[in-house]
Amino acid sequence: MSSSSEFEQGLDQRPLLVALTGGIGCGKTTVLEAFRKMGVPCFVADQEASKFYSETDFLAQIESLFGDSVFMADGGVDKRAIAQIVFNDKTMLNKLNALVHPRVWQRFEYFVASHLDAKYIIFESAIAYEYGFDRLVDKVVCVYLDQEERFRRLELRDHASREQLAARMRNQLSAEDKMSRADYVVLNYEGNPRQRQVSYIHQQILDSII
């Protein structure tokens, strides 16, 4: 995956691009909101990807990949059925990612183009490393939470079994691996001053901009 030539030509004029990532259940949304409150434009990959399921050409590709079984009676896509397939089949997951994520990045390019006055822009994606988005941005912020606490939060939030959650986690790099690769880390534990961490990282990013 690569960005468009037009986007690449304008690299010297665009804001700094910062990926925000972390394993499922680590609290990326709350950290992202802290950046947003400081006026940082934030793009959420999953939210953008969800819009594709109302687009005719994308639905045709989904049907070609998964068949009719993932469609409901009203013609909509049963995302849970797709999730059940891809979380247990790495090949199908890779094929779905190949459909979704080039589109996501293209939409992000448009988002960047509409926020050229920003100092930096955040691209939030749980799979920034897994899909190579980290190579398209300037900095990476990782939100870290240990696996046991993530299990606890996800069991409460998603009412899913540990086996189901573990299957989802196996399709991502470990939280420790993500943390070791990142430029900045937010330790997202209860009682840990999240806003103070985000404010510090925000200033560090601003100071890095020449």
Side-chain angles (χ1 to χ4, degrees), residues 117-187:
D117 58 337
K119 293 293 186 181
Y120 71 96
I121 294 174
I122 287 182
F123 174 87
E124 187 273 320
S125 172
I127 57 170
Y129 286 115
E130 291 85 343
Y131 200 70
F133 288 127
D134 62 301
R135 297 193 296 271
L136 301 177
V137 299
D138 305 295
K139 302 285 185 181
V140 178
V141 177
C142 175
V143 182
Y144 176 81
L145 194 64
D146 69 76
Q147 189 177 71
E148 190 61 32
E149 180 62 15
R150 289 161 59 209
F151 271 132
R152 187 188 70 80
R153 292 184 182 186
L154 288 167
E155 286 170 338
L156 290 172
R157 188 191 75 183
D158 297 351
H159 305 291
S161 69
R162 287 216 166 195
E163 291 74 18
Q164 292 171 319
L165 295 172
R168 292 166 65 184
M169 289 180 182
R170 282 195 295 271
N171 287 315
Q172 296 182 359
L173 294 175
S174 72
E176 289 72 23
D177 196 353
K178 291 176 190 280
M179 180 172 64
S180 70
R181 297 187 187 194
D183 298 286
Y184 310 102
V185 176
V186 176
L187 301 176

Side-chain angles (χ1 to χ4, degrees), residues 40-53:
V40 181
C42 298
F43 178 96
V44 182
D46 280 352
Q47 288 181 2
E48 196 61 37
S50 68
K51 300 175 184 177
F52 301 157
Y53 289 88

Side-chain angles (χ1 to χ4, degrees), residues 2-190:
S2 61
S3 37
S4 69
S5 58
E6 182 180 350
F7 189 66
E8 290 169 345
Q9 289 169 7
L11 288 180
D12 58 337
Q13 295 153 7
R14 62 155 173 78
L16 201 76
L17 304 183
V18 178
L20 179 74
T21 193
I24 58 171
C26 69
K28 292 186 298 298
T29 301
T30 54
V31 172
L32 189 74
E33 188 58 30
F35 278 103
R36 187 176 279 126
K37 285 180 178 178
M38 290 189 294
V40 181
C42 298
F43 178 96
V44 182
D46 280 352
Q47 288 181 2
E48 196 61 37
S50 68
K51 300 175 184 177
F52 301 157
Y53 289 88
S54 62
E55 299 174 7
T56 303
D57 62 328
F58 183 77
L59 292 177
Q61 291 177 303
I62 289 294
E63 184 176 12
S64 177
L65 181 59
F66 294 101
D68 295 335
S69 63
V70 298
F71 286 84
M72 298 180 288
D74 63 0
V77 174
D78 185 346
K79 294 180 184 178
R80 289 188 177 184
I82 290 179
Q84 191 66 29
I85 294 170
V86 300
F87 287 140
N88 294 286
D89 187 329
K90 195 65 174 283
T91 298
M92 293 301 288
L93 175 63
N94 290 337
K95 289 181 178 180
L96 178 62
N97 284 339
L99 280 184
V100 172
H101 296 301
R103 284 175 176 252
V104 167
W105 187 259
Q106 184 180 55
R107 300 289 174 88
F108 180 59
E109 291 179 357
Y110 298 146
F111 184 82
V112 172
S114 67
H115 293 85
L116 292 178
D117 58 337
K119 293 293 186 181
Y120 71 96
I121 294 174
I122 287 182
F123 174 87
E124 187 273 320
S125 172
I127 57 170
Y129 286 115
E130 291 85 343
Y131 200 70
F133 288 127
D134 62 301
R135 297 193 296 271
L136 301 177
V137 299
D138 305 295
K139 302 285 185 181
V140 178
V141 177
C142 175
V143 182
Y144 176 81
L145 194 64
D146 69 76
Q147 189 177 71
E148 190 61 32
E149 180 62 15
R150 289 161 59 209
F151 271 132
R152 187 188 70 80
R153 292 184 182 186
L154 288 167
E155 286 170 338
L156 290 172
R157 188 191 75 183
D158 297 351
H159 305 291
S161 69
R162 287 216 166 195
E163 291 74 18
Q164 292 171 319
L165 295 172
R168 292 166 65 184
M169 289 180 182
R170 282 195 295 271
N171 287 315
Q172 296 182 359
L173 294 175
S174 72
E176 289 72 23
D177 196 353
K178 291 176 190 280
M179 180 172 64
S180 70
R181 297 187 187 194
D183 298 286
Y184 310 102
V185 176
V186 176
L187 301 176
N188 200 26
Y189 293 97
E190 292 298 328

